[in-house]
Amino acid sequence: MSSPVSWPAGVQEAAEVVSARPVGAYTHLVLRAPEAARRAQPGQFVACGTGDSGMLLRRSLSLHAADPEAGTLEVVVAAAGPGTRLLAAKRPGDVVSTTAPLGRPFPLPAPGTPAVVIGGGYGAAPLPWLARVLTTGGSRVVGIVGAASADRLLGTSAVDDATALDGIADAVVVTTDDGSLGAPGRVTDALPEVLLELSELGEPAVYACGPMPMLRSVHTTTREVLGERAQTWLAVEESMACGVGVCMTCVLPVVDLDDDDTPTRMLRACTAGPVFDGDALRWDAIGAAPHLRGGALVPDDAVGAPVVGRAGGH
């Protein structure tokens, strides 16, 4: 990666809803937040208040796009719980309390580096914006979007033109687990052929956003096809709730790849990520805690890990 990653601090704004429309199973919102729109980069997110005083925590949503000239942010909401259902029900003229842009954006490769962008379900939301930045830099970009079934897809013109990768990426592959649209199977079934095609132009940059099992599979598949030095950039937004490091739901074991002497640390994805180098994530501990609904265990060698056999506590 050639460009250093840096980003300005997020700002709080009372964002008017400019438009709200259904996109497949999801809702596309355009919010007027001019200062955030001026600062935002692909891969970052916005923390939105629900408007319900009984819900103290905000809801974190990937930025689908930002338009500095129009002063707007765009998000795609999956109404999966009470908070996101309130956000999905917003209508033009409503006001949403926002803090944005937040989080580490996707690092960009050297100009002209081929790239693949991969999204699962509404995890495809940030990919068109990223793909546009990459193609502007001279990259050949292939998009792969998938979902369990056609009604959960995003990022393809078969669902919605305005939020699709079509016309931005040089090619788009669609998969569904049940075969109801595109190729039957998962995004990682299509990934090896795409990687091999792009590798004829140079080592591809690999970006992905979606459920954690998909991110793990993207990382593993990329290493199997391109070798141990292949790099993936993964947006691990699945478990984020408040988005500002308060609720601690998004803590993950992460290693410092630049310092072998630094032990694993438990970091909050919302403040240290959400984009991580796939090699930095401790996959042996992630998803290994069934009592935490598949959350991450604290590795024995992590800073602050409980010492077996030591009595006490507080």
Side-chain angles (χ1 to χ4, degrees):
M1 295 290 157
S2 65
S3 58
V5 180
S6 61
W7 58 96
V11 293
Q12 291 192 353
E13 293 178 276
E16 179 187 357
V17 178
V18 177
S19 68
R21 64 186 182 87
V23 175
Y26 313 112
T27 300
H28 175 249
L29 297 178
V30 179
L31 306 171
R32 192 176 310 284
E35 185 56 34
R38 188 179 66 80
R39 303 182 182 201
Q41 300 175 46
Q44 294 189 290
F45 64 94
V46 54
C48 295
T50 65
D52 184 331
S53 60
M55 296 184 187
L56 297 180
L57 298 180
R58 295 175 173 234
R59 297 299 185 268
S60 298
L61 305 170
S62 297
L63 290 174
H64 170 64
D67 185 336
E69 293 186 4
T72 56
L73 301 176
E74 298 180 39
V75 295
V76 176
V77 184
T84 47
R85 281 196 287 273
L86 286 171
L87 289 171
K90 300 295 183 185
R91 293 295 175 263
D94 290 346
V95 174
V96 178
S97 176
T98 61
T99 304
L102 296 173
R104 173 188 171 97
F106 286 115
L108 298 178
T113 302
V116 55
V117 297
I118 307 157
Y122 69 94
L127 301 185
W129 185 15
L130 173 63
R132 190 180 300 281
V133 172
L134 291 168
T135 56
T136 300
S139 295
R140 175 173 173 77
V141 178
V142 176
I144 307 176
V145 295
S149 55
D151 61 320
R152 309 304 298 180
L153 275 169
L154 186 71
T156 167
S157 59
V159 175
D160 177 62
D161 287 334
T163 55
L165 279 160
D166 308 64
I168 302 173
D170 294 284
V172 180
V173 179
V174 177
T175 69
T176 50
D177 295 1
D178 64 1
S180 52
L181 187 66
R186 299 182 175 179
V187 292
T188 45
D189 294 331
L191 181 57
E193 183 176 347
V194 171
L195 290 174
L196 290 173
E197 174 198 324
L198 290 176
S199 64
E200 295 180 3
L201 304 174
E203 182 160 299
V206 178
Y207 301 93
C209 183
M212 191 60 86
M214 187 204 85
L215 299 181
R216 179 197 296 267
S217 187
V218 166
H219 181 67
T220 302
T221 302
T222 300
R223 299 284 291 271
E224 290 174 350
V225 174
L226 298 181
E228 293 298 307
R229 296 181 61 186
Q231 196 169 35
T232 58
W233 293 103
L234 310 176
V236 295
E237 302 174 38
E238 183 182 51
S239 59
M240 287 167 41
C242 73
V244 292
V246 173
C247 69
M248 307 294 285
T249 62
C250 61
V251 174
L252 292 169
V254 180
V255 297
D256 184 348
L257 296 174
D258 296 325
D259 187 353
D260 293 338
D261 296 327
T262 301
T264 298
R265 297 183 183 278
M266 301 300 292
L267 301 180
R268 292 164 291 186
C270 63
T271 55
V275 176
F276 290 98
D277 185 330
D279 282 340
L281 298 172
R282 285 287 302 269
W283 295 108
D284 59 321
I286 293 172
H291 62 293
L292 298 175
R293 294 187 297 175
L297 292 173
V298 180
D300 291 341
D301 60 342
V303 175
V307 178
V308 176
R310 175 182 295 173
H314 59 83

